[in-house]
Amino acid sequence: MTVPDGIDFGGGNIAKILIGIAGKGNEHLEILSNIAIVCSEEENIDKILNATTEEEILELFSEVS
């Protein structure tokens, strides 16, 4: 989920991207790893925030797998 105006969860850090995950067993570890890799690049954050379709976002994450 993207929040263009952001949400302050405290400490003055504004979150503009919220990601919920679910995994069975240890699947969540690979999911978290992929999220961390994609979100470590500022360019990818911009792509997520500017995406107009779900497919654009999913494509970013599928390139890591």
Side-chain angles (χ1 to χ4, degrees):
M1 166 188 263
T2 60
V3 184
D5 294 331
I7 297 174
D8 185 350
F9 286 104
N13 293 315
I14 306 298
K16 292 187 176 184
I17 299 172
L18 306 174
I19 301 174
I21 66 166
K24 186 176 181 182
N26 285 330
E27 287 177 349
H28 69 286
L29 297 175
E30 183 177 345
I31 295 168
L32 287 171
S33 175
N34 287 347
I35 292 169
I37 291 168
V38 170
C39 292
S40 68
E41 299 290 331
E42 188 71 31
E43 177 183 331
N44 290 336
I45 298 296
D46 291 337
K47 287 180 182 179
I48 292 169
L49 291 171
N50 295 315
T52 57
T53 66
E54 292 176 17
E55 288 78 20
E56 291 176 76
I57 296 171
L58 291 173
E59 186 177 322
L60 283 171
F61 288 97
S62 67
E63 292 173 359
V64 175
S65 303

